[in-house]
């Protein structure tokens, strides 16, 4: 059983493309691990702050915080704080203040790490943008002349600009990891309150997955067509502007303007189609999430046996945690659509790094140390591609310090 047979050819091909891009940008394992770890810490402190609200709510509802000292982890931490304070007067008010302090400390730590993550990502994204742009430019320099005879400079300019799309893909992957950890952190808190209601909340996942999969497929197709339209418009623009003397000489301004307008209209229609799919995705996901939230409220009455102040408080806390988790599902769905939308431009960038149709002339193996007497060519044969010879049986010599 191979990776390809288990996960499918499409996923296998996409992973190969991502590995190629990471290799070009010289992305190391720590460049991936550190943002993911920081996202995990943000989610951890967010979950800790939210989780501490559970005993806080129970204590406020019952008017007694003494049960906290018997809790496995929080009880030990509380005892350590009391030892540091060197006090034997363990009042409800003191425990309440300590819990509030923990909640605030968790939120402060969360925001500090978020700021550090933003700075880290901004620095390395700038480095990666430079590396991918330089690598693309150097690849162009290595291509043979016939490639530039066939390829429009407008297309090449547009492809170079697609380095921003590669960075957008990297940013989307980073955001996805953060949203995933946030979902897991909130789900753990929800499990602590009610595992039955948590199962009801998770039921929304298959529906969202199916919806995103269908929309992503449409977005991917539109992305390819939009890329072709974009490239065609770029070629037409460059060819017209670079050949403006001929356009003026033959009085073809109106014709070229009409052609440009048709291409621009075609691109506008593709853009509108893609935007309409994205615009539909957000409200549709919100309706799915609203349905799941409605189910939570419906089942909450039957799952909590009595309407005590403590149960009502825990229910409010559960719904608060769910309200923060379910939109993260929508964020994950949006990331899926964004990745699908970027597939065509990123594919265009990747195509630069294969050798097909690039007409590259391989380097020789001998070092040239300088001309001593003359340089002689014997029976030189050369062709850019089969059936299109450029030089055939060419023989001549050139003496030193002379030209022909």
């Amino acid at each position: 059983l191979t990776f390809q047979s288990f996960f499918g050819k499409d996923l296998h091909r996409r992973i190969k493309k991502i590995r190629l891009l990471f290799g070009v940008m010289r992305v190391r394992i720590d460049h991936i691990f550190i943002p993911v770890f920081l996202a995990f810490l943000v989610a951890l402190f967010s979950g800790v702050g939210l989780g501490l609200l559970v005993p806080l709510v129970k204590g406020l509802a019952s008017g007694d915080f003494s049960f906290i000292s018997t809790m496995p982890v929080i009880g030990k931490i509380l005892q350590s704080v009391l030892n540091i304070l060197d006090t034997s007067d363990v009042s409800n008010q003191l425990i309440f203040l300590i819990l509030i302090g923990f909640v605030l400390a968790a939120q402060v730590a969360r925001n500090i790490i978020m700021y550090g993550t933003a700075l880290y990502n901004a620095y390395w994204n700038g480095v990666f943008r430079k590396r991918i742009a330089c690598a693309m430019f150097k690849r162009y320099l290595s291509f043979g002349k016939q490639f530039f005879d066939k390829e429009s400079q407008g297309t090449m300019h547009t492809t170079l600009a697609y380095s921003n799309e590669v960075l957008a893909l990297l940013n989307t992957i980073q955001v996805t990891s953060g949203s995933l950890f946030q979902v897991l952190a909130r789900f753990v808190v929800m499990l602590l309150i009610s595992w039955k209601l948590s199962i009801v909340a998770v039921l929304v996942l298959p529906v969202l997955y199916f919806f995103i999969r269908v929309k992503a497929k449409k977005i991917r197709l539109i992305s390819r067509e939009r890329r072709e339209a974009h490239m065609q418009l770029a070629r037409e623009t460059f060819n017209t502007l670079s050949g403006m003397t001929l356009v003026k000489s033959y009085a073809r301004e109106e014709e070229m303007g009409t052609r440009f307008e048709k291409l621009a209209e075609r691109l506008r229609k593709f853009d509108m189609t893609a935007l309409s799919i994205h615009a539909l995705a957000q409200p549709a996901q919100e309706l799915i999430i609203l349905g799941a939230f409605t189910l939570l409220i419906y089942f909450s009455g039957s799952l909590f046996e009595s309407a005590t102040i403590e149960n009502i408080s825990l229910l409010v806390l559960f719904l608060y945690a769910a309200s923060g988790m379910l939109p993260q599902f929508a964020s994950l769905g949006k990331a899926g659509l964004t990745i699908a939308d970027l597939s065509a431009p990123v594919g265009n960038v990747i195509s630069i790094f294969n050798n097909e149709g690039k007409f590259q002339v391989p380097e020789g193996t001998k070092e040239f140390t300088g001309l001593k007497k003359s340089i002689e060519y014997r029976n030189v044969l050369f062709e850019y591609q089969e059936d299109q010879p450029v030089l055939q049986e060419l023989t001549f010599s050139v003496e030193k310090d002379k030209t022909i």
Side-chain angles (χ1 to χ4, degrees):
L1 183 65
T2 62
F3 179 91
Q4 183 170 341
S5 62
F6 185 80
F7 290 100
K9 293 182 180 179
D10 288 342
L11 181 60
H12 181 70
R13 188 162 50 245
R14 289 169 193 165
I15 291 176
K16 285 184 64 177
K17 291 179 179 179
I18 291 175
R19 289 181 62 185
L20 172 63
L21 288 175
F22 282 5
V24 170
M25 294 185 291
R26 304 197 296 278
V27 178
R28 302 192 306 266
I29 187 66
D30 58 291
H31 295 147
I32 301 173
F33 175 77
I34 291 177
V36 171
F37 180 70
L38 291 175
F40 168 76
L41 289 180
V42 169
L44 177 64
F45 281 108
S46 178
V48 167
L50 188 59
L52 287 173
L53 294 179
V54 176
L56 191 63
V57 167
K58 286 184 177 181
L60 288 173
S62 62
D64 183 15
F65 287 91
S66 60
F67 68 93
I68 294 179
S69 60
T70 62
M71 297 180 68
V73 179
I74 301 179
K76 292 182 178 180
I77 297 175
L78 178 63
Q79 188 60 47
S80 299
V81 173
L82 292 174
N83 292 335
I84 294 173
L85 295 176
D86 193 18
T87 178
S88 58
D89 183 18
V90 186
S91 62
N92 286 330
Q93 184 178 6
L94 179 59
I95 296 176
F96 171 77
L97 291 175
I98 292 174
L99 285 177
I100 289 293
F102 285 161
V103 172
L104 293 177
Q107 294 306 311
V108 170
R110 171 180 173 270
N111 284 280
I112 291 175
I113 295 172
M114 286 178 63
Y115 177 69
T117 303
L119 291 180
Y120 182 89
N121 290 338
Y123 172 79
W124 281 108
N125 286 347
V127 173
F128 294 145
R129 182 182 291 108
K130 172 190 171 184
R131 288 178 179 176
I132 190 69
C134 291
M136 292 167 65
F137 190 77
K138 289 178 181 179
R139 279 289 295 178
Y140 276 128
L141 294 177
S142 70
F143 297 163
K145 179 179 179 298
Q146 192 169 356
F147 172 85
F148 298 98
D149 292 340
K150 293 186 175 182
E151 192 74 10
S152 167
Q153 292 192 35
T155 300
M156 289 185 281
H157 282 297
T158 303
T159 303
L160 281 171
Y162 280 160
S163 59
N164 293 323
E165 269 66 15
V166 175
L167 264 297
L169 176 64
L170 187 61
N171 289 333
T172 303
I173 294 174
Q174 293 170 347
V175 170
T176 301
S177 65
S179 296
L180 184 60
F181 285 130
Q182 287 288 343
V183 168
L184 292 176
R186 290 180 176 270
F187 185 67
V188 169
V189 175
M190 292 163 61
L191 282 174
L192 293 174
I193 300 173
S194 172
W195 65 269
K196 295 179 180 178
L197 281 178
S198 300
I199 292 175
V200 175
V202 171
L203 291 177
V204 72
L205 282 176
V207 181
L208 279 175
Y209 173 77
F210 176 77
F211 174 79
I212 294 302
R213 184 177 181 128
V214 172
K215 292 300 177 184
K217 186 176 181 180
K218 293 182 179 179
I219 284 286
R220 201 171 286 112
L221 293 174
I222 292 295
S223 178
R224 294 193 191 102
E225 295 175 343
R226 187 170 59 172
R227 178 193 61 176
E228 292 301 325
H230 194 189
M231 290 296 185
Q232 189 175 359
L233 183 62
R235 286 193 295 268
E236 190 69 23
T237 302
F238 180 84
N239 293 339
T240 301
L241 294 178
S242 60
M244 187 58 70
T245 303
L246 293 175
V247 173
K248 293 288 186 181
S249 300
Y250 291 93
R252 297 181 62 185
E253 294 92 341
E254 185 176 352
E255 178 187 347
M256 302 308 296
T258 302
R259 288 175 60 178
F260 183 90
E261 186 176 356
K262 288 181 179 179
L263 292 173
E265 176 64 16
R266 181 166 175 259
L267 180 60
R268 185 196 67 80
K269 289 180 178 179
F270 285 133
D271 286 339
M272 187 63 197
T273 303
L275 287 173
S276 65
I277 295 176
H278 278 287
L280 175 63
Q282 183 174 351
Q285 289 180 98
E286 289 182 358
L287 287 175
I288 294 172
I289 292 170
L290 181 61
F293 205 75
T294 304
L295 285 176
L296 285 177
I297 297 174
Y298 175 77
F299 284 106
S300 61
S302 59
L303 292 177
F304 284 94
E305 296 177 356
S306 57
T308 62
I309 295 178
E310 180 179 342
N311 284 344
I312 293 175
S313 301
L314 288 175
L315 174 60
V316 171
L317 181 58
F318 181 91
L319 294 177
Y320 172 73
S323 66
M325 185 188 74
L326 294 178
Q328 295 294 334
F329 288 147
S331 177
L332 292 172
K334 182 180 178 181
L337 294 179
T338 302
I339 291 173
D341 197 24
L342 294 173
S343 61
V346 171
N348 221 55
V349 172
I350 291 174
S351 66
I352 296 177
F353 295 96
N354 64 54
N355 294 327
E356 184 179 353
K358 305 304 190 299
F359 308 103
Q360 291 176 300
V361 179
E363 296 287 344
T365 58
K366 294 183 178 181
E367 183 179 355
F368 180 67
T369 58
L371 190 61
K372 296 181 179 179
K373 183 179 180 181
S374 64
I375 182 169
E376 186 175 352
Y377 300 86
R378 298 176 184 174
N379 302 323
V380 177
L381 299 171
F382 181 76
E383 57 186 19
Y384 284 109
Q385 60 185 23
E386 294 183 4
D387 302 325
Q388 291 188 12
V390 179
L391 301 176
Q392 287 183 307
E393 301 291 336
L394 181 63
T395 300
F396 66 96
S397 62
V398 182
E399 295 182 5
K400 186 178 179 180
D401 297 329
K402 291 186 177 181
T403 59
I404 59 171

